[in-house]
Amino acid sequence: MPPSAEACRGRRRNATPGLAALLALLAACAEPPSAPAPPAAHPDLVAHGAELARGVVEVTAGVHVAIGYGLANSILIEGTDGVVIVDTMESAEAARPVKAAFDAITTKPVRAIVYTHNHADHVLGAAVLAGDDAPEVWSHASTLAELDRVLHVVRPVLYRRAMRQFGVYLPAGERLNCGIGPRLLTDEHTTPALLRPTHTFEGARTELEIAGIRLVLQHAPGETPDQIFVWLPDRGVLLPGDNFYKSFPNLYAIRGTAYRDVLGWVASLDAMRALGPAHLVPSHTRPISGANDVLVALTDYRDAIQLVHDQTVRAMNEGLEPDQIVQRVRLPAHLAAKPYLHEYYGRVDWSVRAVFDGYLGWFGGNAAELAPVDRRARAAAMADLAGGAAALRAKAEAAAAAGDHQWALVLADHLLALDAADGDARALRTAALRALAATQVSANARNYYLTQARETEGTLALTTPDLARVPPAMLAAMPVGQLMRAMPVALDAERSQDVFMVAGFRFPDVGEAYTVHVRGGVAEVQSVFPSEPDLTVTVDAAVWKEIAAGHRSALAALVKGDLQVSGGRLALTRLLGLFGTATETE
Ligand SMILES: [Zn+2]
């Protein structure tokens, strides 16, 4: 069963929404279910596991890459009196064995850590890899904002979808790999170990010399807008971040993502080609060495991306709709044959839809889509066409028996729209999802099908985790302003439709103040104190974040004297209740 909205709210009642969303990336509530016989898998995806095998590879003198310890790689660059580490894994647990492996190579201190971009699998093991050293932490200036946006604004739905895409809650025998890494080591038992960037650069590039290592950091928007690549001119080594790995790229992520600027991605690959690297060391999958092989790979990669973009736009301009364009756009044989363009992770058809959406939005152009029949009415009409619900079920079973699992899945969904408690329909849906999973080259598709199969049969419920496991140091480093600015998306518009209230918040320990103005279903947050508040809350940011994290309630803080209210306790209770924040004492 999918988790109910009530279950998610129940988990979140002590947490303000923005911080609760943080944990969407970090942990989960469900226990892994017991493993049945492993479902069949596509042989290409099985074979691709060799690309993700665990170990540290010395690419060239003093450049080592740890592969297969988690979802991402971590790269160690030795200098004269210290090392630089590029990307840091997804959790303390994923980073610890990497740290041990790096320590076995050199005991030189970590002078700098570089993040190629904000994604969790590159930043959440940093504190472990830094060890007792206090390295500079470098990123592009936009990484900070992206980090906060992802950590604070991302919704619980993104968490559930990410857990499906990476198959985090599949039993070991059922999960095969994640396409770009063996697994994502992030669950309710793991610890986020983020170090916030201490040094950033604006604009296109910066050049550094750290521990005798010359580094060029170059802004290279692509998989993310904040992406950079790292160029070591003295060693001919290029670290492309996630703008290259050995799979067709994830121009769209099914966990849910905003449009990725694919032409910007192509331009970033062209900037890499121009450098003529001798070694390409991506942050996922194994390195490529040899200037010609690197050039061919980068050129193929940029051509594949550009082709999908160009041919999608061409078809759009002809008037084709997404369902038609995905039937047309294919990689030509010479590109499709390249192992680094096989669709282990991203897929061409998903990318086509993303490009369409990026230019034209959700509307395909057919007027029939403008006000579609709701799901239940459509299911009832389908049953009517089939000759009743029993006949519809027979059609679904026949589709499954004929091996048309996609159609069986669609018909099972119609049956479940008619009766969500229909156990036979649930079994049909589960079987269809597992059958589809068995044929997928894309690990993302396989993991998503298998996880939703478990949710459908009721052996897995993904719920939004609480915040108890955020380490105090990481909580302390979070800007309170991000929590405040994330509040409006948690406002209950129905309950607040007749509420008009101005609340002023003062955080003396950080010298910040905010207005939260609730106006009949909308909350406006400003980073100034209001001139005529109905309610004033004075509380240290450190305490407010503990309240947001669910470590204590607002009223408990009030009783203890750690939070002061003018305007009435009742008004505070009423206000926080509108945002789903519990106020009862422990
Ligand atoms: Zn990554």
Side-chain angles (χ1 to χ4, degrees):
M1 289 260 308
S4 68
E6 286 71 22
C8 291
R9 275 197 290 276
R11 295 282 186 178
R12 296 176 55 224
R13 48 204 293 264
N14 287 328
T16 52
L19 202 48
L22 160 65
L23 259 266
L25 293 174
L26 306 180
C29 304
E31 287 297 322
S34 59
H42 194 289
D44 289 358
L45 187 58
V46 175
H48 182 58
E51 181 66 37
L52 314 170
R54 180 164 164 154
V56 178
V57 174
E58 183 166 20
V59 183
T60 183
V63 178
H64 306 261
V65 54
I67 304 163
Y69 290 83
L71 188 69
N73 298 341
S74 183
I75 299 148
L76 175 77
I77 307 159
E78 286 185 77
T80 49
D81 60 343
V83 302
V84 173
I85 293 175
V86 178
D87 287 346
T88 65
M89 316 298 296
E90 62 264 36
S91 59
E93 287 73 14
R96 274 188 205 114
V98 175
K99 170 73 173 160
F102 285 173
D103 284 350
I105 293 168
T106 174
T107 54
K108 290 174 186 169
V110 182
R111 298 281 186 218
I113 283 173
V114 180
Y115 296 144
T116 59
H117 61 295
N118 70 87
H119 281 169
D121 53 319
H122 301 258
V123 303
L124 287 184
V128 168
L129 287 166
D132 296 330
D133 305 322
E136 298 176 355
V137 181
W138 280 88
S139 73
H140 191 258
S142 59
T143 294
L144 268 173
E146 289 290 313
L147 207 50
D148 290 328
R149 186 183 65 78
V150 170
L151 292 182
H152 297 283
V153 180
V154 78
R155 304 304 304 152
V157 61
L158 277 188
Y159 158 77
R160 291 195 293 275
R161 289 171 56 150
M163 293 300 106
R164 290 180 191 131
Q165 173 180 315
F166 294 111
V168 169
Y169 287 97
L170 295 176
E174 200 164 310
R175 182 186 54 237
L176 192 58
N177 62 56
C178 291
I180 53 168
R183 64 177 298 196
L184 176 68
L185 215 71
T186 301
D187 63 20
E188 77 275 28
H189 304 297
T190 62
T191 310
L194 174 74
L195 294 177
R196 291 179 72 81
T198 58
H199 294 65
T200 62
F201 70 101
E202 309 263 358
R205 73 204 295 265
T206 190
E207 293 194 34
L208 310 171
E209 184 162 336
I210 298 171
I213 307 163
R214 280 209 302 146
L215 299 144
V216 177
L217 311 185
Q218 184 154 334
H219 190 208
E223 196 224 29
T224 59
D226 67 323
Q227 196 94 196
I228 64 171
F229 65 70
V230 180
W231 168 236
L232 308 178
D234 299 330
R235 311 189 196 201
V237 174
L238 179 72
L239 316 182
D242 279 7
N243 279 340
F244 179 93
Y245 40 68
K246 291 184 193 168
S247 164
F248 185 82
N250 226 18
L251 303 186
Y252 173 76
I254 59 173
R255 65 177 166 76
T257 181
Y259 179 58
R260 295 174 167 178
D261 175 9
V262 297
L263 290 185
W265 197 328
V266 169
S268 293
L269 288 161
D270 288 343
M272 297 179 202
R273 293 162 74 214
L275 296 170
H279 305 276
L280 183 66
V281 190
S283 289
H284 297 273
T285 68
R286 309 186 96 73
I288 298 175
S289 286
N292 190 55
D293 286 354
V294 170
L295 182 62
V296 169
L298 290 173
T299 305
D300 286 343
Y301 218 66
R302 57 89 62 220
D303 282 356
I305 296 172
Q306 189 191 324
L307 185 143
V308 169
H309 168 272
D310 292 353
Q311 295 309 308
T312 300
V313 173
R314 175 173 161 250
M316 282 161 40
N317 283 333
E318 287 177 24
L320 270 61
E321 295 170 21
D323 288 342
Q324 298 167 298
I325 303 173
V326 296
Q327 298 300 326
R328 180 203 273 188
V329 178
R330 298 279 184 272
L331 291 185
H334 76 98
L335 291 178
K338 295 295 172 67
Y340 43 78
L341 286 170
H342 289 189
E343 296 166 290
Y344 300 120
Y345 195 57
R347 285 193 357 190
V348 172
D349 57 340
W350 297 339
S351 305
V352 165
R353 292 181 190 278
V355 170
F356 186 100
D357 190 66
Y359 278 100
L360 299 179
W362 63 266
F363 178 44
N366 180 339
E369 294 172 14
L370 287 173
V373 177
D374 76 75
R375 189 179 290 206
R376 199 174 189 290
R378 194 168 64 232
M382 288 292 285
D384 189 48
L385 282 171
L392 185 61
R393 184 188 315 282
K395 290 280 186 196
E397 288 165 350
D404 188 350
H405 301 295
Q406 175 60 29
W407 189 234
L409 178 61
V410 170
L411 296 183
D413 275 347
H414 286 315
L415 290 167
L416 287 169
L418 293 172
D419 177 7
D422 183 338
D424 290 343
R426 213 161 271 283
L428 269 168
R429 183 171 201 271
T430 303
L433 288 165
R434 292 222 163 99
L436 288 167
T439 63
Q440 300 302 312
V441 171
S442 166
N444 289 339
R446 174 187 166 84
N447 289 332
Y448 209 101
Y449 284 132
L450 287 176
T451 304
Q452 244 184 16
R454 289 195 161 269
E455 293 176 279
T456 302
E457 73 181 357
T459 53
L460 174 63
L462 295 175
T463 52
T464 305
D466 64 35
L467 289 165
R469 290 185 57 80
V470 175
M474 192 167 153
L475 197 60
M478 289 177 184
V480 73
Q482 291 290 344
L483 289 180
M484 299 305 291
R485 283 186 283 274
M487 286 180 74
V489 297
L491 181 70
D492 185 330
E494 292 76 30
R495 284 173 61 204
S496 62
Q497 61 181 321
D498 298 320
V499 177
F500 293 81
M501 182 193 284
V502 177
F505 284 77
R506 283 192 200 282
F507 300 107
D509 58 335
V510 293
E512 294 177 32
Y514 294 89
T515 297
V516 178
H517 190 168
V518 177
R519 282 194 302 274
V522 179
E524 180 185 13
V525 173
Q526 296 176 312
S527 51
V528 292
F529 198 79
S531 54
E532 290 182 35
D534 303 310
L535 171 73
T536 299
V537 179
T538 306
V539 59
D540 277 347
V543 173
W544 185 248
K545 286 188 278 187
E546 286 177 16
I547 292 168
H551 293 302
R552 60 201 295 194
S553 79
L555 280 193
L558 186 66
V559 168
K560 203 171 164 215
D562 289 341
L563 183 153
Q564 285 83 42
V565 181
S566 70
R569 174 183 299 199
L570 203 61
L572 176 66
T573 306
R574 188 173 176 223
L575 178 76
L576 296 185
L578 296 174
F579 294 93
T581 303
T583 49
E584 75 274 15
T585 50
E586 289 97 320

